[in-house]
Amino acid sequence: MVTADALPSRLAVSALALASVRAVCDAARDPRVDPSRVDPVRVAAAYRSDRMLRIDGRAPDAWAPLSGFWRTTDGWIRTHGNYPHHARALRRGLALSDAAGADELAQAVADLRTADAVAAVSGAGGLAVPVRAEDPGSDAELRRTGLVETIRLADAPRRGRTPGTGARGIRVLDLTRVIAGPVCTRTLALLGADVLRVDPPDLPELEWQHVDTGHGKRTTVLDARSARFADLLAHADVVVLGYHPAALDRLGLSPAALADRHPGLVIAQLSAWGEAAPGRRGFDSLVQAESGIAMVESPDGEHPGALPAQALDHSAGYLLAAGILRALEEQRATGGTMLVRTSLRRVAAELLGMPRTTGTGPAVDIDPAAHTQRFTIGGREVITVRSAIPGLEFTDPRPWGRDTPAW
């Protein structure tokens, strides 16, 4: 018998989502948070936050026209063009005009082999992956590593904070964007951390995307090579890294460099593809496509499908937050400089290894009135999802980039 599900899927998305949120609740050591009260429907709403979001009564366009599945001569590719610079690179790689839309992209790709289309886009700095069948052997190999890895990079003195205080009073420097990293730092802010998100001056964020995950944080625009940034880093307890490793290396912000200069720091790192491809860029939708999830979720065995939410992103965010909380406890107890890391690909392998259903059942109705909050941000009425963590409610997301770069 197929039962109703808050996140209906052939894969165990609801089970993964519940386990990820409960991991944070267990690690929080916060008397306000009772892991037994985690509500599957409230968790499902949080995972579908982009669909619950309203700005002045309007839903955002979560997917740009050049983001999607496209048929090639021998299969399918998946592209990501939500950010303007990624859309420009897509067009450049496929020799399209600056005004080309979905129809032109589809026509260009239809005449190419999958490998050639991916190579053309990637060579121009764009984002495209082949849609592949799952590889159980590769997934099993990935599952031999921890879902969240915690590595003691070096010995260091304890930071002197009281054990059992969770995230309260912790300074978190947030160098992430899109969904997974911001979900992680939003969760830490909800649990009492002082979170300051720093974005580079030349890379503006999409307004709706920040509003969706910006609750409780301050945000600023600052050059990571500046003395002000160095001062912020020197006084941080946690730094969360979500940028391309090559970019972090150029800025002296690799985990190794941070550990060398800032003993006792907890460093969290999130990537799309994991340690096997540390320099490769990606998003949840691309990992779904290449890992085999898209074909598992195919509606007809021919056309690729998708999960009912950006579940790899959200789960990675909650799991990374839980790992950070545990690393903070270890640092308080025994000292050390800690690295906590996971990847969307590792989360995908976990999901692919969980028990499956034979088909999707009806979706549980998610009542927006019961699972959203209202805010006024910069004179605009914003409705966002409520927190997935029981006993806690979000504070307002602040306008992006307008806070002073200071603790």
Side-chain angles (χ1 to χ4, degrees), residues 34 49 62 88 143 158 181 198 205 221 268-269 289 335 351 376 382:
D34 180 357
S49 60
R88 288 193 295 270
R143 289 194 294 274
R158 291 182 295 163
V198 178
E205 180 61 291
V221 176
Q269 187 166 35
L351 179 60
T376 300
V382 174

Side-chain angles (χ1 to χ4, degrees), residues 78 118 122 127-132 139 142 145 244-245 270-292 312 342-349:
R78 181 65 160 90
V118 169
S122 301
L127 291 163
V129 300
V131 176
R132 290 180 173 156
D139 292 322
L142 282 170
T145 64
H244 193 276
L270 180 76
S271 64
W273 303 100
E275 290 307 295
R280 190 180 177 198
R281 297 171 300 156
F283 292 87
D284 183 308
S285 58
L286 301 182
V287 176
Q288 285 190 43
E290 189 166 319
S291 68
L312 308 181
T342 192
S343 70
L344 303 186
R345 184 63 185 88
R346 177 61 184 86
V347 175

Side-chain angles (χ1 to χ4, degrees), residues 76-88:
W76 297 84
I77 66 169
R78 181 65 160 90
T79 60
H80 195 286
N82 280 15
Y83 283 99
H85 61 290
H86 290 153
R88 288 193 295 270

Side-chain angles (χ1 to χ4, degrees), residues 18 21-27 30 33-39 390:
L18 283 172
V21 173
R22 283 177 178 147
V24 175
C25 295
D26 289 334
D30 189 316
V33 176
D34 180 357
S36 69
R37 293 179 53 221
V38 174
D39 176 7

Side-chain angles (χ1 to χ4, degrees), residues 72-398:
T72 64
T73 60
D74 60 350
W76 297 84
I77 66 169
R78 181 65 160 90
T79 60
H80 195 286
N82 280 15
Y83 283 99
H85 61 290
H86 290 153
R88 288 193 295 270
L90 266 171
R91 293 187 178 102
R92 187 166 60 247
L94 295 171
L96 300 174
S97 72
D98 292 345
D103 291 342
E104 290 85 353
L105 191 155
Q107 185 174 356
V109 169
D111 295 329
L112 297 174
R113 293 172 59 249
T114 295
D116 294 335
V118 169
V121 172
S122 301
L127 291 163
V129 300
V131 176
R132 290 180 173 156
E134 65 178 310
D135 181 348
S138 294
D139 292 322
E141 185 67 26
L142 282 170
R143 289 194 294 274
R144 292 190 180 97
T145 64
L147 182 52
V148 178
E149 294 183 292
T150 301
I151 301 165
R152 191 181 184 91
L153 295 176
D155 292 333
R158 291 182 295 163
R159 288 283 179 118
R161 297 191 180 274
T162 304
T165 54
R168 281 172 285 170
I170 292 297
R171 290 174 170 173
V172 178
L173 195 60
D174 178 3
L175 306 181
T176 72
R177 56 200 294 121
V178 194
I179 299 176
V183 165
C184 169
T185 54
R186 179 185 68 182
T187 302
L188 297 175
L190 182 68
L191 292 166
D194 178 7
V195 178
L196 178 62
R197 171 171 161 168
V198 178
D199 284 86
D202 59 345
L203 200 60
E205 180 61 291
L206 302 174
E207 178 195 31
W208 74 264
Q209 199 152 258
H210 167 63
V211 169
D212 187 37
T213 57
H215 305 80
K217 311 178 209 177
R218 292 177 299 117
T219 72
T220 193
V221 176
L222 184 66
D223 191 323
R225 294 162 293 194
S226 66
R228 179 64 67 87
F229 180 86
D231 184 65
L232 289 172
L233 186 55
H235 293 90
D237 299 295
V238 176
V239 60
V240 187
L241 306 173
Y243 286 89
H244 193 276
L248 295 173
D249 285 342
R250 287 195 300 271
L251 295 169
L253 297 176
S254 68
L258 290 170
D260 183 59
R261 295 200 311 271
H262 302 284
L265 188 66
V266 172
I267 304 158
Q269 187 166 35
L270 180 76
S271 64
W273 303 100
E275 290 307 295
R280 190 180 177 198
R281 297 171 300 156
F283 292 87
D284 183 308
S285 58
L286 301 182
V287 176
Q288 285 190 43
E290 189 166 319
S291 68
I293 289 174
M295 291 314 299
V296 172
E297 295 297 332
S298 169
D300 55 11
E302 177 184 353
H303 295 78
L307 298 177
Q310 300 289 284
L312 308 181
D313 264 328
H314 285 271
S315 291
Y318 289 116
L319 291 166
L320 192 65
I324 291 168
L325 291 167
R326 290 192 294 268
L328 284 168
E329 285 300 302
E330 183 174 343
Q331 212 289 328
R332 289 172 179 129
T334 65
T337 305
M338 316 297 292
L339 172 63
V340 183
R341 68 188 182 195
T342 192
S343 70
L344 303 186
R345 184 63 185 88
R346 177 61 184 86
V347 175
E350 193 73 13
L351 179 60
L352 285 161
M354 296 171 71
R356 305 181 186 181
T357 62
T358 56
T360 57
V364 171
D365 183 53
I366 299 175
D367 179 11
H371 296 287
T372 56
Q373 293 179 257
R374 292 177 181 269
F375 305 97
T376 300
I377 304 169
R380 307 181 75 178
E381 183 185 65
V382 174
I383 298 174
T384 77
V385 76
R386 294 174 67 195
S387 163
I389 297 177
L392 301 178
E393 297 290 352
F394 287 135
T395 56
D396 59 309
R398 300 167 65 83

